[in-house]
Amino acid sequence: MHQPRTFLDNFFLVIKGLCMGAANKVPGVSGGIVAFVGGFYEEFIYSLQKINSKAFKLLFNGRFKSFYQYTNGQFLVLLIFGMLVSYFSISRVLDYFLAQKELFVWAGFFGMILGSIYYIAKDFNHWNKKTVPAGILGLIIGISISFLSPATQNDNLLFIFFCGIISVSGMTLPGLSGSFILILLGNYVLLLVDSVNALYDTLSEVFIGNFDFVNNEKRMETLKILAVFTLGSATGLVTFSHLLSYVLKHFKRISTAVILGFITGSLGVVWPWKRTIFKLDAMGNALIDSNGDKIVLNYERYFPNLGIAETWWAALFIVLGILVLLVLDWYGKNRKERKQVRTAR
């Protein structure tokens, strides 16, 4: 599973991490799709599976090099580094474009998911009496999730830990958006907006030697919530990886069919043409989060007007989204061919 990588491979791995981080931040989009289409999904899952009792034994015994090699450390470090950078850079740019050009952002992601469906389906020639029902089940679950109504915000630490476990599914399960699950659980703003911004502000202050935040009760409470959420995410990541590695090893065709159906069903979540429904108070006024933004309740989907230019611009972004996936597909094939050439030598 551990593959030798060139400098260019490592560079693109960081880029993929950036893409995964950005995808995980956007409700309705799954970072797992990036891993699946990027050709490193199984390596990602199996590398996470290596974070086990043997790995901790190596770590506690001071055998750091063995720990690094056993857990496929180079792969995980570069990928996670890209994700972390994304949360404080690309994801903030995405927030801006979602506010200014929301239709085009959703159109781009819609195209990427269409491209991912093509990518997975084109090489899957194993439809039979077991995989067809599995695909239909995945499709029904994907469609059902897109029509669920969100719960109210809950900052109970046990629930926050649970949110961390559930939300990490977006990294490990292609098609299941961890961010959208957090919206359904009612904690998207608290955990992926308020908490991330609090951490960003804290790190900025620490960088210039300002530690006044320790006296800010609200900031410290938010950072505590983020720490519990992170712990839950790490727990979920390792737990899911062991489960998924078993499923991929023993039921690969059925699991691929479920994933294909699930991703197809999730298209409703990222349908570009939709109106945002905001949470209102008893007087009918939109509720505001700690950043002064309106709190999203759900979306009302509609068919586009073909008579306006904006619709055709959105269609162009759908095509661009599909092209992004085709480029990733081309790179994956190219890398595989280069690896075969090096092996032949």
Side-chain angles (χ1 to χ4, degrees):
M1 189 58 63
H2 297 216
Q3 303 174 13
R5 285 184 164 85
T6 64
F7 173 81
L8 189 61
D9 291 333
N10 290 331
F11 173 76
F12 273 107
L13 188 56
V14 174
I15 297 299
K16 290 172 182 177
L18 289 170
C19 294
M20 281 190 74
N24 284 326
K25 181 79 182 287
V26 179
V29 184
S30 164
I33 289 180
V34 177
F36 205 96
V37 175
F40 61 95
Y41 179 70
E42 289 190 30
E43 183 176 6
F44 178 56
I45 296 300
Y46 288 126
S47 297
L48 290 173
Q49 186 195 15
K50 292 294 185 180
I51 303 176
N52 52 29
S53 57
K54 181 178 178 180
F56 284 113
K57 187 176 180 180
L58 291 171
L59 185 62
F60 292 141
N61 288 335
R63 298 174 60 185
F64 302 117
K65 185 175 181 180
S66 297
F67 170 81
Y68 188 74
Q69 292 174 340
Y70 177 74
T71 58
N72 199 9
Q74 183 184 35
F75 170 83
L76 287 176
V77 167
L78 290 174
L79 194 66
I80 293 172
F81 172 74
M83 292 182 200
L84 291 174
V85 171
S86 175
Y87 268 101
F88 297 106
S89 56
I90 291 179
S91 63
R92 287 190 164 235
V93 173
L94 267 176
D95 289 340
Y96 170 80
F97 280 106
L98 278 169
Q100 302 297 323
K101 298 291 182 182
E102 184 179 17
L103 174 62
F104 298 153
V105 173
W106 286 120
F109 279 116
F110 187 80
M112 288 179 67
I113 293 179
L114 279 177
S116 69
I117 292 170
Y118 163 77
Y119 174 86
I120 299 170
K122 68 182 176 64
D123 295 322
F124 187 71
N125 302 311
H126 306 289
W127 293 110
N128 53 47
K129 61 182 180 180
K130 291 183 178 179
T131 55
V132 169
I136 293 173
L137 177 64
L139 178 66
I140 292 172
I141 295 174
I143 293 173
S144 300
I145 287 177
S146 67
F147 288 101
L148 292 177
S149 297
T152 56
Q153 183 170 296
N154 185 346
D155 61 359
N156 178 277
L157 292 181
L158 188 60
F159 185 71
I160 295 296
F161 184 80
F162 172 74
C163 286
I165 293 175
I166 297 300
S167 69
V168 82
S169 57
M171 289 174 60
T172 53
L173 292 173
L176 182 59
S177 167
S179 296
F180 188 70
I181 293 298
L182 285 180
I183 286 182
L184 295 178
L185 294 174
N187 276 357
Y188 176 79
V189 173
L190 175 64
L191 298 175
L192 290 189
V193 179
D194 295 347
S195 296
V196 172
N197 288 341
L199 179 62
Y200 179 83
D201 294 339
T202 300
L203 292 177
S204 299
E205 292 171 9
V206 169
F207 184 74
I208 61 175
N210 181 1
F211 295 91
D212 291 342
F213 67 89
V214 296
N215 299 316
N216 186 328
E217 187 176 335
K218 184 177 180 182
R219 176 82 66 83
M220 294 303 293
E221 181 65 24
T222 304
L223 290 176
K224 182 172 70 172
I225 286 172
L226 180 61
V228 173
F229 175 67
T230 303
L231 182 62
S233 298
T235 303
L237 202 59
V238 175
T239 304
F240 274 133
S241 66
H242 283 77
L243 176 63
L244 286 171
S245 64
Y246 176 84
V247 171
L248 287 170
K249 185 177 181 179
H250 295 89
F251 308 100
K252 186 170 183 179
R253 292 178 180 177
I254 292 177
S255 59
T256 301
V258 172
I259 288 171
L260 186 56
F262 198 91
I263 294 175
T264 304
S266 72
L267 282 172
V269 180
V270 290
W271 176 253
W273 292 276
K274 55 192 172 187
R275 298 180 187 88
T276 305
I277 302 173
F278 297 103
K279 189 175 290 188
L280 306 177
D281 60 20
M283 302 295 293
N285 299 314
L287 293 174
I288 305 298
D289 63 28
S290 60
N291 294 314
D293 299 321
K294 295 178 181 178
I295 299 175
V296 176
L297 177 63
N298 217 318
Y299 300 96
E300 179 187 354
R301 297 163 185 85
Y302 62 92
F303 287 101
N305 180 358
L306 299 179
I308 59 176
E310 187 180 53
T311 297
W312 295 104
W313 277 109
L316 176 62
F317 276 90
I318 290 176
V319 173
L320 290 175
I322 294 172
L323 288 176
V324 167
L325 267 295
L326 293 178
V327 169
L328 283 175
D329 182 26
W330 169 84
Y331 172 74
K333 287 180 179 177
N334 187 263
R335 182 175 183 270
K336 191 177 294 185
E337 289 173 0
R338 284 189 283 112
K339 182 187 174 185
Q340 290 173 347
V341 169
R342 286 199 300 266
T343 303
R345 290 175 181 173

